[in-house]
Amino acid sequence: MIQHGLKGVIAAETAISFIDGNKGYLVYRGKEAKEIALNYSFEEAAYFLWHGTFPTKEELASLNQKLKNNRTLPQNIEKIMQLLPNDMELMSVIRTVVSSLGNSQYKWKPTIDEAIRLTAIIPTIIAYWKRKISGLQPVAPNEDYGHVENYLYMLTGKKPLDVHVKALETYMILTMEHGMNASTFSARVTVSTKSDMISAITSAIGTMKGPLHGGAPSDVTIMLNEIGTKENAESWLRAKLENGERLMGFGHRIYKTKDPRALALKEKALEIGQDDPWLALALHVEETAIQLLEEYKPGRKLYTNVEFFAAAVMRAINMEDDLFTPTFTASRVVGWSAHVLEQAERNVIFRPESQYIGSLPFLMN
């Protein structure tokens, strides 16, 4: 039987992550992703996905130093980025620049050090390009800052607030990994041919670029902007539901209960939202919308998904909408590379078949 899009087809075994959409679990190597996001740093979570254990103090210090050593753009990469047209989409820039990193040192088998180099440099690519098209000088990486703090610093040129760093770090840990999604599958297919880490991650970035996968918070942002104030929330939401329209940021294809990533992000949103009008509005809209969804669609159990609170948190930390999918990419590179490494250890080339439905030049008996 044909499974269009390979839906429901198991094509690999993995120890990296597990999703139970009915119970609302997202597990990284046997530990709930939510607990990791709330209690560990980006660097510790990345190490855990790559190695399967949390780092010792010495191992964490070594990883931190390797990340810092690989943040700076090589001169040839800067030249390439200067030559790219300003109207080029940021995801296309990331794809092109990552591909151009693929010199002769990247070969079969892929290594964790390669994963670290890519994880370190992608935030720099994003920040460099964002400032370039905004007419601003690039900001050099700061050796005193951790991975996420440095990313925010390179975007703005200012030391970010600790609460903003932790909110973004929570988001980036929660989006590091999410099973055999389209981009992860792309990465594993590419490396299954005994290609290299750069080629596999380039494939994944190209897949993430598609709006059916990478997504954007713009719909949630538009909704919250249109609502504007807490007082308008119920009438606006009720009008949408009366017209049979979907509320953006509610419901999920996989999760049939509360999205565990949204729950963790909400905790961070509450920390910022005490004094932030935007987040206060988002929290009120969530509460109102869930009540109305139960009224209009009883038993459907439609809750906020990760995009709702991602949009809310991103806006609260002054992250513009066009940085959403690139930032998603900067976190997911950890999961992609973990899958690339896992695929290489027990490699079998992916060779699915297709069913021909065209005409033939002869009759078949």
Side-chain angles (χ1 to χ4, degrees):
M1 183 174 71
I2 299 172
Q3 292 289 350
H4 293 285
L6 301 180
K7 184 177 180 180
V9 175
I10 297 173
E13 293 180 325
T14 183
I16 298 170
S17 70
F18 169 74
I19 304 163
D20 187 326
N22 292 319
K23 296 180 180 178
Y25 291 131
L26 172 59
V27 174
Y28 291 173
R29 292 194 181 273
K31 192 172 182 67
E32 281 197 71
K34 176 186 173 184
E35 296 307 310
I36 297 173
L38 294 175
N39 296 295
Y40 292 87
S41 68
F42 178 95
E43 291 86 347
E44 289 170 317
Y47 188 99
F48 184 61
L49 280 179
W50 287 327
H51 293 272
T53 59
F54 286 106
T56 63
K57 186 177 179 180
E58 293 74 20
E59 289 166 340
L60 181 59
S62 174
L63 173 58
N64 282 330
Q65 195 56 55
K66 287 179 179 180
L67 286 167
K68 290 175 181 180
N69 290 345
N70 286 283
R71 287 174 177 170
T72 304
L73 294 175
Q75 280 191 330
N76 66 307
I77 298 299
E78 273 202 66
K79 289 179 181 177
I80 289 171
M81 294 186 74
Q82 285 296 329
L83 291 171
L84 297 176
N86 278 2
D87 63 352
M88 194 169 179
E89 264 190 302
L90 182 44
M91 285 299 294
S92 295
V93 171
I94 300 169
R95 180 200 62 216
T96 300
V97 175
V98 167
S99 179
S100 70
L101 291 168
N103 56 33
S104 59
Q105 69 178 310
Y106 290 92
K107 57 186 71 172
W108 179 267
K109 283 181 166 181
T111 67
I112 289 177
D113 279 345
E114 293 171 355
I116 293 170
R117 286 199 291 272
L118 283 168
T119 301
I121 205 167
I122 285 178
T124 309
I125 295 168
I126 296 167
Y128 184 99
W129 186 259
K130 181 64 176 174
R131 291 184 68 85
K132 173 181 179 284
I133 63 173
S134 300
L136 300 170
Q137 289 297 311
V139 175
N142 189 315
E143 291 294 306
D144 296 329
Y145 293 161
H147 186 76
V148 176
E149 185 176 18
N150 178 67
Y151 176 39
L152 283 173
Y153 169 73
M154 289 190 298
L155 284 167
T156 65
K158 300 175 183 177
K159 177 176 172 55
L161 296 173
D162 288 344
V163 69
H164 287 182
V165 173
K166 190 55 189 174
L168 181 60
E169 188 166 47
T170 301
Y171 166 75
M172 292 184 74
I173 293 171
L174 290 168
T175 53
M176 273 184 181
E177 166 61 13
H178 205 247
M180 188 67 86
N181 53 80
S183 55
T184 297
F185 184 55
S186 292
R188 292 190 74 134
V189 168
T190 299
V191 83
S192 79
T193 68
K194 290 196 173 182
S195 191
D196 56 275
M197 176 73 81
I198 290 287
S199 297
I201 300 304
T202 301
S203 294
I205 294 168
T207 307
M208 176 72 85
K209 181 176 181 288
L212 291 183
H213 183 29
S218 56
D219 288 337
V220 176
T221 304
I222 290 167
M223 178 181 74
L224 293 174
N225 277 334
E226 288 183 0
I227 291 171
T229 66
K230 292 180 181 179
E231 292 71 24
N232 292 336
E234 182 172 350
S235 59
W236 191 97
L237 294 166
R238 195 177 287 278
K240 289 288 181 183
L241 290 169
E242 290 282 358
N243 291 330
E245 296 181 50
R246 181 186 167 200
L247 300 184
M248 302 286 55
F250 292 84
H252 192 276
R253 184 176 62 84
I254 294 175
Y255 295 107
K256 306 308 177 187
T257 184
K258 293 181 179 179
D259 185 334
R261 301 167 301 169
L263 292 173
L265 274 178
K266 182 177 180 178
E267 287 193 33
K268 288 301 153 189
L270 286 167
E271 291 179 14
I272 306 173
Q274 295 172 2
D275 300 309
D276 186 277
W278 171 266
L279 273 175
L281 172 64
L283 291 165
H284 180 76
V285 168
E286 180 206 24
E287 182 181 352
T288 306
I290 288 174
Q291 291 173 356
L292 291 175
L293 284 166
E294 183 58 30
E295 177 185 334
Y296 282 86
K297 301 181 180 184
R300 290 280 302 277
K301 297 183 179 181
L302 297 170
Y303 301 101
T304 39
N305 58 40
V306 71
E307 281 197 359
F308 182 88
F309 278 108
V313 167
M314 292 290 199
R315 173 69 177 268
I317 64 175
N318 302 311
M319 187 80 73
E320 296 177 27
D321 284 359
D322 66 339
L323 289 170
F324 182 88
T325 306
T327 301
F328 188 0
T329 300
S331 62
R332 185 56 63 84
V333 66
V334 176
W336 290 334
S337 53
H339 277 273
V340 166
L341 294 165
E342 184 179 65
Q343 179 68 34
E345 285 305 309
R346 293 183 298 167
N347 189 53
V348 176
I349 189 172
F350 285 91
R351 289 288 300 272
E353 296 184 4
S354 61
Q355 181 171 302
Y356 180 68
I357 59 170
S359 61
L360 292 169
F362 51 83
L363 294 176
M364 297 180 66
N365 295 323

